[in-house]
Each structure stands twice: as structure tokens, then as C-alpha cells.
Amino acid sequence: MSIQMNGLPLDHPWPEPKLPELWYSDTIKGLHASTENDWDSLRLSALQTAAGRALWRHVIHDPLAGLLAGETYLKSLYDKIKKDRLNNAREVSGVIIAVRTLWFDTKLEAAINSFEDRAAQVVLLGAGMDARAYRLNCLKESNVFEIDFPEVLQMKTTILQAAENSKKEAEHFIVTAKSVSRVAADIRQKDWLNKLQLAGFEPHKNTVWVLEGILYYLSHSQAMEVLNIITENCNLTHTVLLADFMNKQSTTLSKSNFHFYSDWPDQLLPSLGFSDVNLSQIGDPDAHFGLLHDPQNLFNKLLSLPRSTETHPDDGKPCCRLYLVQASGSPSQTKS
């Protein structure tokens, strides 16, 4: 039996990307081609995330991910994965997306189950090509709201409508949520909450806010404004926040893209008004999912160091950390 690495034996071939026949239609190909010329890195990150979910399909069930990602990003990531496997890399490309996706899936289901009637509003900020409303059965009593740039949601809607109309793809196009509403808005602007409410969001209903892969693209003032708006919801109803935070060293990975950071989000969120905060790092027991077996991989090595350590003592490289944070609050618990 060969050693397991990232969920697959080393001698087991990585599943190749499979584009459905529908992708080769002029409409879908044209949409993906236009993004490469017209979209900035923030918008394109939605396609990169979808590609990660598609290529890690042995652990993530997301039949729509490949269609939403498109050929360019699927091929690029697949080539990186093949290279990593050939070189026996300790961390295979895309593993962060895989672990992060599974962590958010697991915590979202737990949050939904924590409500008495298992009914809640779920708001996906910077939803991109997220297909949770089509693949998570735990959302069957929940109203899902997806917020993103108009052009991102328009592309997504066009692709999903094409899938719905395709006999071969229709089986994947089943909305598992009670409802799904798309809200065209830029969360960096001050009007996104109003647009959300116009779409049917009710502030007094139990709400789970999902901020996956979005906060660090914002400026400090923008991110804090978003977090404060969500915190205000705690004064009205039972609120759960699921978010990932970069530490300061992580922003050096792309100074042009990454701006907001928090070295101690488990202290930041209580200071804003959340009463119950739990923090994990990739590699922790609830953020592992059997994908990080090598004890010398980057994430396991970081877990052995104090969070205040800025550079790794072995090689002097920045200690880049991604924090996965679950926070909750309610009117009876928020600070006065």
C-alpha cells in the first residue's frame, strides 16, 4: 500500500479535469474567453476557486465547478498538480482551496443545525462561482443570497441557465436550497446591504454570513465596515459568521491583491461585538480532512510555532497563516 498524500495514494493517478460537452458551446466558451481580457484579479479569483473544487473532486462534490471554472484555470491548476506530484511536493497545489471549502461546508451545516427549525438566511459575500445552493442538502430550509459584482453573477447565471437547459447537464442543476437570490453589488460600496434587503433579506431572521476568500482583497477600512455591518445584525437576531483571515505575512504573497489582514481575528471579532469565537488553522483537527499527512508540510510546521512568530526559524521565510474563524452572537449576548 503506497503512502497517502493529499487524499490519494502516491501511485494513484490524479483525476484529470473533465469539461462537459456544454462547455464547448459558443456561448460558454465566449464567456470564459472574455473574462481573461476584461476581469481583474479579484474577479478571476472566483474561477480559480471553482477550478480547485473541480480538480479536488475526490473529496469535494461539486459537479458544476468545472463548468463554472472553464478550461484555462482547470488546465493551469492541473499542470501544477501534476508537477507537484512528480516532485513529491509536501503540499499539492489546490490543497488550501480543498481544505477551506470542506471547512466552510462543515461549519455551515453545523450552524444551520444549531437553529431550532434548521431554517436560516445564508449570505455569501463575494459568492463568485460558489455552488453551495446546488450541492448542500443542509440548505433545504434556507434562503441563500449570493452577492457579487454584476458581471460575475451575470456570467454565472448564464452558465447555470445553459446547464439547466441541457439534457446532459440538467441532473447537476438542482437547487438544494429553499431559494437562491443573486444580488449584484460591490461590498466595497456602502449600498450593498440596502440591495440585499431589497432582494428579500430580513434582518430579524437567523443568518449565517459566509465570507470565504474575500476579506483580504479589501482595504482595512472596507473590511472593517463589512464586519461592523454584520456585527450590527447580532443586535437583531442569532448571527453566525464564517470567514477566513490572512495574517500580515500572508499579504506579502501578493501586495497588489491582498490588503486587509488580522493577526488575531479571535480578538478582533469579540471587540466588535461577537460573543463566541473559534479559530482554526489549516492542519488543525477540524481543518485537516485527511489531506495533510506529511508532518513536514508547511501547515503542520506552522502549527508548532507560536502565532506571534513572523519568520520561520528553519529557513527565514515569512510565516504565512490562513485563519478559519467561526463567530456567533445574538441580542442577549452582544456587548453593550
Side-chain angles (χ1 to χ4, degrees), residues 13-60:
W14 199 273
E16 292 191 30
K18 292 182 179 180
L19 279 169
E21 183 179 321
L22 175 62
W23 189 89
Y24 295 98
S25 70
D26 291 340
T27 299
I28 305 302
K29 287 189 70 175
L31 277 174
H32 279 292
S34 67
T35 64
E36 296 178 29
N37 296 320
D38 302 335
W39 286 15
D40 60 13
S41 56
L42 174 55
R43 290 163 175 81
L44 290 173
S45 68
L47 307 182
Q48 294 165 343
T49 297
R53 290 171 179 163
L55 286 171
W56 284 76
R57 64 180 182 273
H58 56 287
V59 293
I60 299 171

Side-chain angles (χ1 to χ4, degrees), residues 104-164:
F104 274 90
D105 285 355
T106 302
K107 300 302 182 182
L108 176 56
E109 181 173 9
I112 295 296
N113 290 338
S114 72
F115 301 125
E116 288 186 8
D117 52 4
R118 296 190 177 182
Q121 297 172 122
V122 176
V123 183
L124 307 175
L125 291 186
M129 299 298 149
D130 192 295
R132 286 187 169 94
Y134 300 85
R135 64 182 183 82
L136 294 186
N137 291 326
C138 65
L139 299 176
K140 63 183 179 180
E141 300 299 331
S142 298
N143 302 111
V144 176
F145 297 88
E146 300 180 348
I147 301 181
D148 214 317
F149 298 112
E151 60 273 23
V152 173
L153 294 182
Q154 182 57 56
M155 175 181 175
K156 182 178 185 178
T157 299
T158 301
I159 293 175
L160 292 178
Q161 286 177 344
E164 184 181 19

Side-chain angles (χ1 to χ4, degrees), residues 166-182:
S166 169
K167 292 182 180 179
K168 292 185 178 181
E169 297 302 320
E171 63 179 295
H172 301 318
F173 191 91
I174 301 174
V175 179
T176 55
K178 183 178 180 180
S179 69
V180 56
S181 302
R182 297 195 176 95

Side-chain angles (χ1 to χ4, degrees), residues 3 12 14 47 68 80 83 101 112 118 134 137 152 158 172 216 251 270 293-294 327 332:
I3 297 174
H12 192 287
W14 199 273
L47 307 182
L68 293 167
K80 292 177 182 177
K83 183 178 179 180
T101 297
I112 295 296
R118 296 190 177 182
Y134 300 85
N137 291 326
V152 173
T158 301
H172 301 318
Y216 25 88
T251 61
H293 295 279
D294 191 326
S332 62

Side-chain angles (χ1 to χ4, degrees), residues 309-320:
T309 304
E310 296 185 359
T311 57
H312 203 287
D314 289 349
D315 53 22
K317 293 182 179 179
C319 290
C320 300

Side-chain angles (χ1 to χ4, degrees), residues 4 8 29 37 47 49 52 72 126 132 177 199 227 279 322:
Q4 288 272 330
L8 286 175
K29 287 189 70 175
N37 296 320
L47 307 182
T49 297
T72 297
R132 286 187 169 94
L227 291 173
L279 177 145
L322 185 70

